[in-house]
Amino acid sequence: MGISERKEREKEEMKKLIIDTATRLFIEQGFDKTSMRSIAEAMEYSPATIYLYFKDKSELFDAIHRQGFKVFFEYLSQVNTIEDPMERLNQLGIQYLTFAIENPGYYDLMLIMREPMSTQRNEESWDQGDTSHKILTTTVEECVSKGHFRGNDPAVVSFMIWSQVHGICSMMIRDRMKFYPEEQREELMFAAKKVFMDMVRSF
Amino acid sequence: MGISERKEREKEEMKKLIIDTATRLFIEQGFDKTSMRSIAEAMEYSPATIYLYFKDKSELFDAIHRQGFKVFFEYLSQVNTIEDPMERLNQLGIQYLTFAIENPGYYDLMLIMREPMSTQRNEESWDQGDTSHKILTTTVEECVSKGHFRGNDPAVVSFMIWSQVHGICSMMIRDRMKFYPEEQREELMFAAKKVFMDMVRSF
DNA sequence: AATTTTACTGAACGCTGTTTAGTAAAATTA
DNA sequence: TAATTTTACTAAACAGCGTTCAGTAAAATT
């Protein structure tokens, strides 16, 4: 049955073409301006074709969403070899900020935008969110067991830390840093994170 | 010229009717579902009428935006009488979180959504953002002059603090707290803020 | 060679923000 | 009071959106 296998391959290639085209436009011009019609036009297909491969726009962008998480995990996994949990936490923060700075489109889609939620999608993006969350909480728990955080609930501490770095990234990505000259913003992000970590360490 | 004065009054009333109707729908059903047509229908006017009073949707929502900031300042001004800057900072955080919890629609519009920016609008919303920013930095500067924050740059510290509370609120408003049961989320927000303030105070 | 299945599209539906030409009533002028 | 101008408003349209569906030409199967 060579034919059905080739067809299967072609189907996957078409899916990839759609995702790649959509990702390119999305990174280039943002979510709002990336319409199904514009994706189709860039692919030189009819808009209706996309719907043969993805149920709707939400499902298509969920594929991009998932890919973003893959990239995200590559950043986070850089810290795996660090023994000291507190230093690992520190580097985790740096990787987090770096991901947001280098992939603002992904960050926005993955962690700021409101998701239209379709049951299937939520399952998986939950998993990915859950994994990220576990990476953090595990590290925090290690820190607590080494005597840090004065015995505060690791869940609370994790949420605080995540909120801190997410807050910093959100400010940057949604343009709430106009108080500071553009060329100093990235520096400020890391400076704020550093003061935060200094506080954490001396707590 | 009683007539032109009456007309002026009527114009203001019409503007108010539009803003109030738009705000109601916006709070009830969110930004995306609040179309110009739905606002017009709720007012029992034609959609085109709204455009006689507001240049476009962005200008209309800027009016709501401004009103949101007024409410916001009411929350923040509760702390004015507190002498000790560190305790004022603490209460400022509580007021911030409370505003976000009690007015999630406003918070989203004012501090999370991307603004389509029309020159005029930016001027004013800048002013309001600037005022909020000054309230924070002034307090932080007082703290520093009382020996807190180990001589770190008040601008950096302010940005860190704002990011922390903004991060907490963003997580809640954009539904990134699914790791925690719904009835514990508000508690967790304040718990995280408390740990943060404990760190700040002992720094 | 005839039939079925596949991959795709043109055109439409109902929605959006926005513009424009036209109208009836109100205000002003004569 | 009658004629004219100004005001306040709307119906209808434009171009865009996500999405659906009937139809079609080519490919695969019988």
Side-chain angles (χ1 to χ4, degrees):
Chain A
M1 281 290 109
I3 289 176
S4 67
E5 280 161 23
R6 194 203 71 223
K7 293 223 165 177
E8 190 58 39
R9 235 184 301 127
E10 283 173 350
K11 227 169 198 167
E12 286 309 309
E13 273 165 29
M14 188 60 154
K15 254 191 143 161
K16 192 176 177 314
L17 173 63
I18 295 169
I19 292 175
D20 289 352
T21 308
T23 304
R24 206 192 73 228
L25 294 184
F26 163 66
I27 298 289
E28 275 171 24
Q29 3 175 327
F31 184 85
D32 283 353
K33 287 188 178 167
T34 308
S35 64
M36 296 301 263
R37 282 174 161 89
S38 70
I39 297 166
E41 195 182 3
M43 291 170 54
E44 299 180 292
Y45 278 83
S46 135
T49 302
I50 299 176
Y51 288 87
L52 301 173
Y53 296 86
F54 295 92
K55 192 175 122 280
D56 53 25
K57 195 185 184 185
S58 151
E59 196 175 288
L60 169 55
F61 271 80
D62 183 46
I64 299 177
H65 190 275
R66 262 196 304 279
Q67 196 159 299
F69 261 106
K70 267 192 197 160
V71 177
F72 182 55
F73 289 135
E74 280 169 30
Y75 280 77
L76 296 193
S77 66
Q78 297 299 310
V79 310
N80 285 345
T81 56
I82 302 171
E83 288 292 326
D84 176 38
M86 191 54 90
E87 179 52 23
R88 197 159 72 243
L89 187 62
N90 183 45
Q91 292 296 328
L92 217 41
I94 291 175
Q95 290 298 312
Y96 192 101
L97 261 57
T98 306
F99 170 77
I101 289 167
E102 292 178 357
N103 309 274
Y106 274 143
Y107 191 94
D108 203 327
L109 181 66
M110 290 160 53
L111 293 157
I112 303 183
M113 280 183 194
R114 199 168 249 115
E115 344 195 12
M117 79 170 65
S118 71
T119 328
Q120 165 75 9
R121 202 263 318 296
N122 267 11
E123 291 292 316
E124 246 214 84
S125 72
W126 167 272
D127 278 358
Q128 286 179 309
D130 201 35
T131 302
S132 334
H133 189 248
K134 277 231 171 69
I135 293 174
L136 175 61
T137 46
T138 303
T139 303
V140 169
E141 275 160 13
E142 273 189 66
C143 288
V144 169
S145 73
K146 281 216 169 186
H148 295 287
F149 297 124
R150 304 193 184 174
N152 274 293
D153 183 351
V156 173
V157 174
S158 298
F159 178 68
M160 175 191 69
I161 294 172
W162 192 309
S163 295
Q164 177 68 71
V165 289
H166 174 63
I168 291 172
C169 297
S170 298
M171 294 281 221
M172 181 264 295
I173 285 168
R174 288 295 171 97
D175 255 28
R176 311 283 150 166
M177 292 181 71
K178 297 175 195 158
F179 310 108
Y180 314 100
E182 186 154 9
E183 67 278 8
Q184 288 174 27
R185 287 178 198 165
E186 196 175 317
E187 191 187 327
L188 181 58
M189 291 171 70
F190 284 101
K193 188 216 135 273
K194 186 183 177 307
V195 173
F196 179 74
M197 276 307 295
D198 287 347
M199 287 197 334
V200 163
R201 268 188 282 251
S202 75
F203 188 55
Chain B
M1 282 292 110
I3 288 175
S4 66
E5 280 161 23
R6 192 203 72 223
K7 292 221 165 179
E8 190 58 39
R9 235 184 302 127
E10 283 172 351
K11 227 170 198 166
E12 286 309 309
E13 273 165 27
M14 188 60 154
K15 257 191 141 160
K16 191 174 177 314
L17 173 64
I18 296 169
I19 292 175
D20 288 352
T21 308
T23 303
R24 206 192 73 228
L25 294 184
F26 163 66
I27 297 289
E28 275 171 24
Q29 3 175 324
F31 184 84
D32 282 354
K33 288 188 178 168
T34 307
S35 65
M36 296 301 264
R37 282 174 163 87
S38 67
I39 297 165
E41 195 182 0
M43 291 169 53
E44 299 182 291
Y45 277 82
S46 134
T49 302
I50 299 176
Y51 288 87
L52 300 173
Y53 296 86
F54 295 93
K55 192 175 122 281
D56 52 26
K57 195 186 184 184
S58 150
E59 197 176 287
L60 169 54
F61 271 80
D62 184 47
I64 299 177
H65 191 276
R66 262 196 304 280
Q67 196 161 299
F69 261 105
K70 265 191 198 160
V71 177
F72 182 55
F73 288 135
E74 280 168 29
Y75 280 76
L76 297 193
S77 66
Q78 298 299 310
V79 310
N80 284 345
T81 56
I82 302 172
E83 289 292 324
D84 175 39
M86 192 53 91
E87 179 52 24
R88 196 158 73 243
L89 187 62
N90 183 45
Q91 292 297 326
L92 217 42
I94 291 175
Q95 290 299 311
Y96 191 100
L97 261 57
T98 305
F99 170 77
I101 289 167
E102 292 178 357
N103 309 275
Y106 274 143
Y107 191 94
D108 203 328
L109 182 66
M110 291 158 55
L111 293 157
I112 303 182
M113 280 183 193
R114 199 168 250 115
E115 346 194 12
M117 80 169 65
S118 71
T119 328
Q120 164 76 11
R121 200 266 315 295
N122 268 10
E123 290 291 318
E124 245 213 84
S125 72
W126 168 272
D127 278 358
Q128 286 179 310
D130 201 35
T131 302
S132 333
H133 189 250
K134 276 230 171 71
I135 292 173
L136 175 61
T137 46
T138 304
T139 303
V140 169
E141 275 158 15
E142 273 188 68
C143 288
V144 169
S145 73
K146 281 215 170 185
H148 296 286
F149 298 123
R150 302 193 185 174
N152 273 293
D153 183 350
V156 174
V157 174
S158 299
F159 177 69
M160 175 192 69
I161 294 172
W162 192 307
S163 296
Q164 176 68 73
V165 288
H166 173 62
I168 292 173
C169 296
S170 298
M171 294 281 222
M172 181 264 296
I173 284 168
R174 288 294 171 99
D175 254 26
R176 311 282 152 168
M177 292 181 72
K178 296 175 196 160
F179 309 107
Y180 314 99
E182 186 154 10
E183 68 278 10
Q184 287 173 29
R185 287 178 197 164
E186 196 175 317
E187 191 187 327
L188 180 59
M189 292 171 69
F190 284 101
K193 189 217 135 272
K194 187 184 177 307
V195 173
F196 179 75
M197 276 307 294
D198 288 347
M199 289 196 333
V200 164
R201 269 189 281 250
S202 75
F203 188 55

